[in-house]
Amino acid sequence: MHPSICLFEELQLRVNQQVLGQETVVEQLVIALIANGHVLIQGLPGLAKTRAVNALAAEVSAQLNRIQFTPDMLPADITGSEIYNNQTQSLSFKPGPVFCHFLLADEINRAPAKVQSALLESMAESQVSVAGVSHSLPELFMVLATQNPVEQEGTYPLPEAQMDRFLMQVLVDYPDKNAEKKMLQLLRAATNSRLAAATPKLTVDAVLAARAEVEQVYVNDNIDQYIVDIVDATRFPQKFSTELAELIDLGASPRATIALDKCARARAWLAGRDFVTPEDVKVVCHAVLRHRIVLSFTCINLKLTSDDVIDKLLENVTFV
């Protein structure tokens, strides 16, 4: 096994020690990190969304900035702005919190759409434009946004254009009883969180090197066809199943195809393989597609979730 893979296995282990009962969430965050993508983390309050991001960032020797989104925010609060200098009698750019390696956008759906949209350029192009001048962001730049379900009071649904910029949407659910019991015991000890995050084990260069290795993971033509077929089934479900056609109103964009490829390669690399299998694609499929498909009213009336629809999708699309 490549030594760098061991570093990321240790990363998952250390984060799992701090965020108990959320192994799938931690794995998906690590996949997104080495696949060079942004993550939208959704779950009810109190389920350790912010803690998971802090734990991950603490394991990397990189800068983490946090923005607590509120209804009265302005776009300049994220990107920065031009300020007047009395001494030089000129304008100069003061960078905002977006200029960092890890940006924790906490409760992103509590800010209006124009503020959420301020992140669009930085997420898509790794740069920020202010007063007609573009400012580059670090090579390692990752937005980790948390949001509460949109049915909660005081929240605003994210624009579809911004949702599509997220590589994955990770759902955080309640931990099982054993994990919650262990959490209580560790909290009483009052040492776990301080010791676990004491010394970062990963450098920015190690993350960038891992990304370069992931790019070399082999994907054969059959896997490419499987990925394209899955995304195509979200757009033209009637070709695969009448039932599926009644559940999906709008399919995924080509970004979904690219995201499936990147995440499948990242998972294969973490497993110590230099090639992608159909199982890699299936495992990352829900996190990549759940925020990119629009469900029909029939689906909502049947109380089916995006994950339920993706399950049916994978049943109908076969790997050849």
Side-chain angles (χ1 to χ4, degrees):
M1 182 177 291
H2 198 283
S4 57
I5 298 176
C6 296
L7 287 175
F8 285 88
E9 287 184 340
E10 185 180 350
L11 168 66
Q12 290 187 67
L13 179 62
R14 287 165 65 89
V15 176
N16 280 324
Q17 290 173 347
Q18 300 174 65
V19 187
L20 301 178
Q22 302 292 354
E23 288 80 8
T24 300
V25 171
V26 173
E27 180 188 25
Q28 291 173 340
L29 291 179
V30 174
I31 286 174
L33 173 63
I34 62 176
N36 192 15
H38 310 290
V39 183
L40 179 62
I41 309 169
Q42 180 169 307
L44 293 169
L47 295 185
K49 300 186 297 296
T50 303
R51 182 180 178 84
V53 174
N54 285 328
L56 177 68
E59 296 296 331
V60 184
S61 299
Q63 182 183 357
L64 167 69
N65 284 347
R66 174 179 175 175
I67 304 175
Q68 186 67 48
F69 280 68
T70 57
D72 60 347
M73 283 185 67
L74 297 173
D77 295 330
I78 298 172
T79 61
S81 59
E82 296 271 311
I83 58 173
Y84 182 73
N85 189 319
N86 281 325
Q87 294 180 342
T88 62
Q89 295 186 347
S90 62
L91 292 172
S92 60
F93 177 65
K94 181 180 179 181
V98 73
F99 288 86
C100 61
H101 297 103
F102 294 103
L103 179 66
L104 170 54
D106 215 359
E107 295 189 291
I108 189 173
N109 61 331
R110 292 204 177 275
K114 66 177 181 180
V115 176
Q116 297 169 5
S117 297
L119 284 175
L120 280 176
E121 183 185 12
S122 60
M123 292 172 66
E125 301 176 29
S126 292
Q127 68 176 25
V128 169
S129 297
V130 176
V133 179
S134 296
H135 305 271
S136 298
L137 296 171
E139 189 174 359
L140 171 58
F141 173 69
M142 184 179 185
V143 175
L144 298 119
T146 70
Q147 80 167 4
N148 298 322
V150 294
E151 61 265 26
Q152 299 293 305
E153 291 186 10
T155 61
Y156 303 84
L158 268 65
E160 287 79 1
Q162 185 173 1
M163 290 285 283
D164 202 31
R165 270 11 183 240
F166 287 102
L167 182 76
M168 307 173 83
Q169 182 185 33
V170 176
L171 300 185
V172 184
D173 206 348
Y174 295 109
D176 61 43
K177 291 191 292 184
N178 290 333
E180 199 157 4
K181 180 180 178 182
K182 187 177 181 181
M183 177 190 69
L184 284 175
Q185 294 169 344
L186 289 174
L187 285 174
R188 289 195 189 103
T191 58
N192 176 65
S193 60
R194 288 194 293 273
L195 293 178
T199 53
K201 298 292 184 181
L202 278 174
T203 63
V204 171
D205 287 341
V207 175
L208 296 178
R211 290 179 176 179
E213 291 176 18
V214 168
E215 291 293 329
Q216 302 305 313
V217 173
Y218 177 70
V219 184
N220 68 30
D221 188 67
N222 289 342
I223 295 292
D224 280 340
Q225 189 61 52
Y226 186 48
I227 290 173
V228 170
D229 286 345
I230 289 173
V231 177
D232 186 63
T234 69
R235 302 169 187 164
F236 307 103
Q238 64 275 8
K239 295 194 300 186
F240 296 85
S241 163
T242 304
E243 179 190 13
L244 204 58
E246 295 175 350
L247 301 179
I248 301 176
D249 264 359
L250 188 64
S253 73
R255 283 199 189 97
T257 309
I258 297 169
L260 274 176
D261 172 68
K262 292 170 67 175
C263 291
R265 277 188 283 147
R267 184 182 185 272
W269 183 84
L270 282 173
R273 286 181 278 104
D274 61 356
F275 61 92
V276 173
T277 67
E279 187 63 24
D280 293 322
V281 178
K282 291 178 181 178
V283 168
V284 301
C285 194
H286 293 76
V288 169
L289 292 182
R290 64 167 58 105
H291 60 298
R292 289 185 163 99
I293 59 175
V294 177
L295 305 182
S296 68
F297 284 114
T298 300
C299 187
I300 296 171
N301 288 337
L302 293 173
K303 296 184 178 179
L304 296 177
T305 66
S306 295
D307 284 358
D308 294 328
V309 175
I310 294 169
D311 286 338
K312 293 181 182 295
L313 196 71
L314 293 175
E315 290 174 5
N316 283 276
V317 180
T318 57
F319 174 75
V320 180

